[in-house]
Amino acid sequence: MAQVFEVINPDDKPIWLNLRQEASDALAAEPGLASMLHSTILSHDDLASALSYHIARKLGDDTIRGMTLREIVRKAYATEPALVEYAQADLQAVYERDPAAKGYLQAFMFFKGFLSLQIYRVSHRLWQEGRHTMAHFLQSRVSELFQIDINPAARIGKGVFLDHGTGIVIGETAVVGDDCSILQGVTLGGTGAERGDRHPKVGRGVLLGAGANVLGNITIGDYAKIASGSVVLKPVPAHCTAAGVPAKLINCKTCEDPARQMDHTMPDIDIDYSI
């Protein structure tokens, strides 16, 4: 079972203090990682500073040096402090929903889903400022490094968990609500070469199982569940489960909070609503 912490108030700093404590404990246990732990976490005063360094350390290359990227990220956080609050909520989501996460340090340092999401948030801020080329550069680097491709124009809420992350694709006009959980191989894509608003609108608290393909400008209602490997081409009502190729509603008005529960099982009796 995933551990459940008390909901974090973004105005407090317990996540950052816990992260520092975990880094100190890891330093004592693994002195060979001292340099990395100091430079990434222990030498910083807050989460924004640590994240900006961590992102720059991962993305910097011969094209754009790490220090330049760090300043871009720091400026984004200074301009829109809510990005740091979103990062806290995302980190909390990983800890609550992933049994493999033994603490905040593991997710912050090593889980590419979490880091990719934070880089997307910076790229989205750049997109809103009209800096489309830099936003696409960040998108491209994340795709190269982590095999996660999120268009910077997409809109993603807070408290989102990208589990494993490999192969996730989120298109330009897609919307993902707060508190969703998205597993590896999920595509939020279009159905052709049309332009304009063409990608899914995913509500709050939705669970998207591994390999699910949700295609077209359709709505996935709040707290719905999309089974692994499904192909969804039509809207799914709130609190319903959809499964199959093409997907059908097999269990409707029964999902309470699937993204937090992370329950990928299906009901024993198919109701088989047509959608």
Side-chain angles (χ1 to χ4, degrees):
M1 294 292 292
Q3 308 116 50
V4 178
F5 265 12
E6 181 181 354
V7 175
I8 296 299
N9 182 342
D11 295 330
D12 300 331
K13 299 197 301 184
I15 286 182
W16 171 242
L17 296 179
N18 285 336
L19 184 59
R20 285 183 60 86
Q21 183 60 57
E22 290 176 24
S24 296
D25 294 343
L27 177 62
E30 295 289 350
L33 298 177
S35 177
M36 181 183 71
L37 292 168
H38 271 292
S39 63
T40 306
I41 296 175
L42 295 174
S43 65
H44 300 279
D45 295 327
D46 53 37
L47 185 61
S49 177
L51 261 177
S52 63
Y53 177 86
H54 191 30
I55 289 172
R57 182 175 72 90
K58 286 289 188 179
L59 296 192
D61 63 4
D62 292 337
T63 302
I64 298 184
R65 298 296 183 181
M67 287 301 294
T68 301
L69 285 170
R70 187 179 182 188
E71 286 306 308
I72 290 172
V73 178
R74 285 168 63 95
K75 184 177 180 180
Y77 288 156
T79 303
E80 189 174 350
L83 293 177
V84 182
E85 297 176 9
Y86 276 40
Q88 289 189 93
D90 296 339
L91 198 55
Q92 181 71 13
V94 177
Y95 183 75
E96 287 183 350
R97 302 175 208 169
D98 189 349
K102 309 308 180 186
Y104 296 117
L105 179 67
Q106 199 177 4
F108 181 91
M109 293 295 300
F110 306 121
F111 285 14
K112 64 182 182 180
F114 169 76
L115 190 58
S116 298
L117 187 55
Q118 306 323 306
I119 299 168
Y120 149 77
R121 297 199 187 285
V122 173
S123 72
H124 183 66
R125 176 65 196 180
L126 296 174
W127 184 272
Q128 291 176 312
E129 294 174 354
R131 300 180 64 183
H132 294 177
T133 303
M134 183 60 72
H136 279 306
F137 171 79
L138 296 183
Q139 174 194 6
S140 176
R141 287 292 289 148
V142 170
S143 180
E144 292 170 4
L145 292 172
F146 305 131
Q147 295 79 53
I148 298 173
D149 193 352
I150 307 175
N151 191 288
R155 291 178 287 156
I156 301 178
K158 63 183 178 181
V160 172
F161 174 35
L162 304 185
D163 194 9
H164 301 291
T166 303
I168 289 176
V169 176
I170 300 178
E172 178 185 22
T173 61
V175 176
V176 177
D178 294 344
D179 302 322
C180 289
S181 292
I182 303 175
L183 274 80
Q184 68 270 18
V186 166
T187 296
L188 302 181
T191 56
E194 73 277 9
R195 297 182 181 273
D197 195 356
R198 61 196 184 280
H199 295 108
K201 311 300 179 283
V202 178
R204 182 186 184 96
V206 172
L207 173 61
L208 299 172
N213 292 280
V214 184
L215 307 177
N217 185 13
I218 59 175
T219 299
I220 307 300
D222 294 347
Y223 304 106
K225 177 162 67 174
I226 307 302
S228 299
S230 298
V231 177
V232 182
L233 302 173
K234 296 181 180 180
V236 176
H239 296 280
C240 291
T241 298
V245 182
K248 295 183 178 181
L249 301 183
I250 63 170
N251 196 13
C252 215
K253 298 297 183 182
T254 58
C255 299
E256 294 298 329
D257 199 350
R260 290 185 183 275
Q261 295 167 354
M262 295 294 288
D263 180 4
H264 296 272
T265 62
M266 295 292 104
D268 293 332
I269 300 175
D270 287 356
I271 299 176
D272 196 16
Y273 294 97
S274 179
I275 61 173

